Amino acid sequence: MNIVVTGGAGFIGSNFIKYIFKRYPEYKILNIDKLTYAGNLENLKEIEKNPNYKFLKKDICNKDLEEFLDGYDVIINFAAESHVDRAIYGPEEFLKTDIFGTFNLLEIAKKKNIKFIQISTDEVYGSIEEGSFDENSPLNPSNPYSSSKASADLITISYFKTYKVPTNIIRSCNNYGPNQYPEKFIPLMITNAIENKKLPIYGDGLYRREWIYVIDNCKAIDLVLHKGKEGEIYNVSSEFSIPNIEIAKKILNLLGKDESLIEFVKDRPGHDRRYSIKCEKIKKLGWHIETDFEKGIELTVKWYIENKNWWRIIKESPQFITHYKKTYNL
Ligand SMILES: NC(=O)c1ccc[n+]([C@@H]2O[C@H](COP(=O)([O-])OP(=O)(O)OC[C@H]3O[C@@H](n4cnc5c(N)ncnc54)[C@H](O)[C@@H]3O)[C@@H](O)[C@H]2O)c1
C-alpha cells in the first residue's frame, strides 16, 4: 500500500509511521510536514533511511501539493495545529491549517480518487457532565482548536456525501506516550518533575480526560485503514478517565518526587470539564485496548527519563519558554 501521511513529524504521526513500517515493511510512506515548532525529524531517525520512506517539507494548505501525490492509495491527515492553549491566544493558524489544509487535501483526494482519513478528536463533541458521546452525537466544540477540528470533520463528511470521496474520520481521546511535545499535559508534568520544577495544574485539578497510549491509537488507525467502512466515523478511547491532579500525583510517585511540586494556577477560558466517548464501532472492527493507563504511564515516564536530550533541547528553546510564560502567566 502507498500511504501519504501528513504531520508525520509530530507526536502521533511519527509513532504511526514507525508502527506501520514494523507491521508492514513493504508499505511505502510519503510524509508531508511543514515542520512547525511541533514537527521534529528526530522522531523519525530510526526509519529515515528506509527506502520505502520519503519526506516532503510542505504546508498542507499549499495548492501545488497535488503534483507530488500521484500513485498513492490513501491520505491520512494528522497535520494540525493541536494545542488548545495556543489556540486561545492565536486562533488564525488553527483555522488555516486545520480547516483550509483539510479542504485542500480533500480536493486532491477527490481529483485523484483516493481514500482520505481525517485524524480528529473527541474534543469536537465538547464537554459532558455524565455519560458518553457516540459517533452520532452533535458537535459542540468550545475553543478555536476543537471548533476548527469540528469544521474539518464537517467538510470531510460533505466530500463523502457530495463527491463520494471514500473517507473515514477517527475521533480519539487524549493520547500520551513517547515523542509528545513537552507543552502537552503528561510530558510537561513528567519533564517538570524530573527537573524539580513546579507542576502547573489548571483550576481545581478535577478536569477529566480519557487517555490512550499512542500505540493503541495507531492500531485503531491501522484497522480503519484496512477495514473501515467508507463514510464512517470511529471514536477511539480507552474509556478510562482520570482527573489531572491524580495524573500529576501518579507521575510524582513514579519519579519518587514530593507532591509539594504541584502548583494550582489560574484556569484557562472555555476549559471543558469532562470528555467521554463510547467506541463500540471500532471494537466491532476487532480493536481493544492493549496498554492500560498504569502500564502506559510507566512506559512513558521511562521514555522521558531515557531521552532527556530530546526534550531538553525543546524546553530550552526561546519559542518554548515564551509560550510557557504566556500560558501560565509567569
Ligand atoms: N495528541 C492528542 O492527544 C490528540 C488527540 C486526538 C486527536 N489528535 C489529533 O491528532 C493529530 C496529530 O496530533 P499530534 O498530537 O501528533 O500533534 P503535533 O502537534 O505533535 O503534530 C502536528 C504535526 O503537524 C505538522 N503541521 C502543522 N501544521 C502543518 C501544516 N500546515 N502543513 C503540514 N504540516 C503541518 C507539525 O509540523 C507537526 O509535525 C492532530 O490532527 C490532532 O488534532 C491529537
Side-chain angles (χ1 to χ4, degrees):
M1 190 182 282
N2 289 348
I3 305 173
V4 176
V5 164
T6 67
F11 164 50
I12 307 177
S14 63
N15 275 289
F16 180 75
I17 292 173
K18 289 181 278 191
Y19 165 86
I20 287 290
F21 279 136
K22 261 188 212 134
R23 176 126 202 235
Y24 312 99
E26 72 284 11
Y27 281 16
K28 293 194 166 63
I29 298 180
L30 169 66
N31 173 19
I32 300 176
D33 197 299
K34 181 184 171 183
L35 298 182
T36 66
Y37 77 95
N40 187 348
L41 291 177
E42 281 296 310
N43 297 350
L44 294 159
K45 237 8 245 146
E46 68 192 68
I47 57 95
E48 71 182 3
K49 295 205 169 70
N50 184 329
N52 286 342
Y53 171 74
K54 270 196 227 151
F55 174 67
L56 183 62
K57 184 175 184 305
K58 279 234 173 254
D59 190 326
I60 58 164
C61 299
N62 202 316
K63 283 281 172 195
D64 74 7
L65 260 191
E66 186 183 333
E67 62 193 72
F68 300 93
L69 298 194
D70 281 334
Y72 288 93
D73 304 300
V74 57
I75 300 171
I76 310 180
N77 182 29
F78 293 87
E81 287 293 336
S82 69
H83 193 46
V84 176
D85 289 332
R86 288 179 190 259
I88 291 168
Y89 59 74
E92 192 168 334
E93 280 307 307
F94 286 73
L95 271 63
K96 278 189 198 152
T97 290
D98 301 7
I99 304 176
F100 189 80
T102 304
F103 154 73
N104 195 35
L105 296 172
L106 277 161
E107 273 293 295
I108 298 171
K110 180 178 83 173
K111 276 191 200 145
K112 302 206 180 271
N113 201 17
I114 54 179
K115 190 176 164 84
F116 180 83
I117 300 180
Q118 172 66 359
I119 303 300
S120 184
T121 163
D122 61 354
E123 302 199 22
V124 297
Y125 299 115
S127 197
I128 185 166
E129 282 295 314
E130 277 173 21
S132 307
F133 293 118
D134 67 21
E135 290 85 350
N136 295 319
S137 299
L139 303 187
N140 187 22
S142 306
N143 60 62
Y145 164 66
S146 50
S147 58
S148 68
K149 294 295 289 186
S151 307
D153 282 12
L154 293 176
I155 297 163
T156 304
I157 292 166
S158 78
Y159 269 64
F160 172 69
K161 289 187 180 167
T162 309
Y163 305 113
K164 308 286 174 264
V165 174
T167 62
N168 286 123
I169 296 173
I170 303 175
R171 296 181 180 146
S172 88
C173 65
N174 278 18
N175 285 229
Y176 67 100
N179 293 117
Q180 187 167 28
Y181 192 84
E183 68 188 353
K184 298 285 168 63
F185 183 69
I186 286 185
L188 183 69
M189 295 297 113
I190 298 173
T191 57
N192 275 17
I194 293 174
E195 294 179 301
N196 293 314
K197 287 187 181 151
K198 291 284 184 189
L199 275 55
I201 304 282
Y202 280 131
D204 59 7
L206 298 179
Y207 291 90
R208 294 180 87 94
R209 301 289 182 259
E210 293 176 344
W211 292 92
I212 188 171
Y213 190 62
V214 63
I215 301 303
D216 277 337
N217 189 22
C218 292
K219 288 178 182 168
I221 300 167
D222 174 10
L223 212 51
V224 173
L225 173 66
H226 291 94
K227 293 191 182 162
K229 195 172 156 227
E230 277 181 20
E232 290 289 322
I233 300 169
Y234 295 93
N235 285 347
V236 175
S237 171
S238 58
E239 295 169 324
F240 169 78
S241 83
I242 175 169
N244 289 347
I245 183 74
E246 293 307 322
I247 298 180
K249 286 183 183 167
K250 228 177 236 301
I251 288 169
L252 288 168
N253 191 10
L254 281 169
L255 288 164
K257 304 276 174 147
D258 199 87
E259 288 183 10
S260 60
L261 282 177
I262 290 173
E263 182 173 60
F264 291 97
V265 297
K266 188 170 171 281
D267 214 347
R268 74 177 176 216
H271 201 164
D272 286 331
R273 195 67 174 161
R274 174 176 177 266
Y275 295 136
S276 184
I277 50 175
K278 285 186 208 145
C279 39
E280 299 313 313
K281 275 165 81 172
I282 189 80
K283 284 185 194 161
K284 279 195 189 128
L285 286 189
W287 180 84
H288 62 276
I289 277 288
E290 290 177 31
T291 306
D292 66 15
F293 192 73
E294 293 298 321
K295 180 75 191 150
I297 197 74
E298 255 182 59
L299 289 171
T300 307
V301 167
K302 186 166 177 280
W303 189 86
Y304 281 88
I305 292 173
E306 289 172 355
N307 291 276
K308 293 197 183 81
N309 284 345
W310 181 88
W311 55 264
R312 279 205 171 123
I313 293 172
I314 297 171
K315 287 187 91 174
E316 283 163 11
S317 68
Q319 193 282 131
F320 182 93
I321 294 166
T322 310
H323 161 73
Y324 190 72
K325 286 186 177 159
K326 204 165 177 178
T327 303
Y328 298 110
N329 295 310
L330 301 171

